[in-house]
């Protein structure tokens, strides 16, 4: 069963504009959420995380928003740069459960 | 410092053969994870080690898959009687402790002909 869903397989934005990547989850036990970025032939690289006790976490150009009632989180990248072009994975884990569940990923293309 | 490394980077084998995939975690990381990523999908959890013991192996698809971490550092994922459906990228990750940020290796691309 797909407990973490990324419904947009791809997203294309212009350099300098905002990129918004979305993620939905079904398991109400998830309390820790992460975004990973992946370039071809490399492993996923940790980008940013958020605990369920928060609704926003910001790190430079990257902000993650969590809406627990809607079981939805999003990653905002402002301003987007061509080097941000990659596949972005949303992941979630629950207390007392060390395995992370990943979404299928969204391929972001930032055009110069 | 050195990140997570995995060897080999690519492995091509024939159906029915046995393969071993190796993971070297970041030094000092007590937690180690194996994931499998099929085309167009996100990583799928296989097994989690805390130290030398497999704390959670609920993601292993069947008894053809086995993993060890005898000294609490390097881990080996072993697949017996490989099938074409086992073809995927096998990712290893490590973290300082369970539920801390996981750092991934580049993966081993396994192709079963």
């Amino acid at each position: 069963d797909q407990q973490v869903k990324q419904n947009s397989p791809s997203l294309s934005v212009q350099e300098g504009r905002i990129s918004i990547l979305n993620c939905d989850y079904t398991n109400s036990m998830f309390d820790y959420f992460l975004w990973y970025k992946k370039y071809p032939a490399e492993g996923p690289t940790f980008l940013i995380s958020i605990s369920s006790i928060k609704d926003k976490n910001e790190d430079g150009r990257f902000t993650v928003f969590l809406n627990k009632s809607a079981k939805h989180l999003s990653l905002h990248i402002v301003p987007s740069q061509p080097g941000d072009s990659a596949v972005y994975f949303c992941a979630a884990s629950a207390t007392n459960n060390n395995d992370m569940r990943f979404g299928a990923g969204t391929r972001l293309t930032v055009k110069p | 410092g050195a990140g997570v490394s995995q060897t080999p980077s690519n492995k091509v084998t024939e159906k029915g053969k046995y393969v071993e995939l190796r993971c070297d975690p970041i030094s000092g990381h007590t937690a180690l994870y194996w994931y499998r990523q099929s085309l167009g999908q996100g990583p799928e959890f296989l097994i989690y080690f805390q130290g030398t013991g497999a704390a959670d192996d609920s993601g292993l698809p069947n008894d053809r898959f086995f993993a060890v971490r005898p000294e609490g550092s390097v881990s080996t994922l072993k697949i017996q009687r490989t099938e074409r459906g086992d073809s995927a990228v096998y990712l290893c990750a490590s973290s300082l402790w369970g539920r801390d940020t996981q750092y991934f290796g580049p993966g081993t691309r396994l192709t079963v002909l």
Side-chain angles (χ1 to χ4, degrees):
Chain A
D1 63 339
Q2 196 75 6
Q3 297 186 40
V4 178
K5 298 179 183 179
Q6 293 176 257
N7 292 319
S8 298
S10 64
L11 174 68
S12 180
V13 300
Q14 206 67 34
E15 181 179 7
R17 306 296 287 267
I18 184 171
S19 295
I20 300 176
L21 297 101
N22 293 302
C23 178
D24 297 290
Y25 61 96
T26 57
N27 189 340
S28 58
M29 298 302 291
F30 287 149
D31 62 355
Y32 188 57
F33 305 88
L34 308 93
W35 285 94
Y36 280 82
K37 179 165 107 171
K38 186 180 184 304
Y39 293 117
E42 295 183 10
T45 303
F46 170 73
L47 195 56
I48 193 169
S49 64
I50 188 167
S51 163
S52 61
I53 62 173
K54 294 185 174 182
D55 54 19
K56 175 183 175 181
N57 188 25
E58 189 173 351
D59 183 2
R61 296 185 298 114
F62 303 90
T63 303
V64 55
F65 295 91
L66 175 63
N67 182 335
K68 289 187 289 294
S69 60
K71 294 192 178 67
H72 178 84
L73 65 157
S74 61
L75 175 68
H76 292 211
I77 307 174
V78 181
S80 301
Q81 299 173 354
D84 296 330
S85 297
V87 177
Y88 289 78
F89 291 101
C90 168
S93 68
T95 304
N96 299 325
N97 191 342
N98 291 285
D99 66 281
M100 281 197 299
R101 302 285 177 164
F102 282 80
T106 297
R107 180 177 299 279
L108 173 66
T109 303
V110 180
K111 297 179 179 178
Chain B
V4 178
S5 62
Q6 292 185 246
T7 54
S9 54
N10 279 284
K11 176 70 177 178
V12 180
T13 191
E14 293 180 345
K15 181 175 178 293
K17 299 289 188 182
Y18 167 82
V19 296
E20 288 190 354
L21 312 179
R22 176 188 167 107
C23 172
D24 276 272
I26 293 172
S27 178
H29 279 194
T30 64
L32 185 146
Y33 305 78
W34 283 99
Y35 292 85
R36 177 169 71 175
Q37 185 176 13
S38 301
L39 197 62
Q41 300 297 317
E44 174 191 5
F45 169 78
L46 296 177
I47 186 170
Y48 155 63
F49 286 91
Q50 182 58 49
T52 61
D56 183 352
D57 64 358
S58 61
L60 295 178
N62 52 60
D63 61 6
R64 295 186 297 106
F65 288 75
F66 189 70
V68 295
R69 194 186 184 201
E71 297 177 358
S73 178
V74 170
S75 176
T76 305
L77 178 66
K78 308 180 180 194
I79 310 174
Q80 298 177 323
R81 305 182 304 280
T82 51
E83 299 178 355
R84 292 194 181 88
D86 299 335
S87 297
V89 175
Y90 288 81
L91 292 163
C92 175
S94 71
S95 64
L96 202 54
W97 47 275
R99 293 211 86 201
D100 193 18
T101 302
Q102 295 181 26
Y103 296 88
F104 283 82
T108 294
R109 180 175 296 279
L110 175 67
T111 303
V112 182
L113 301 177

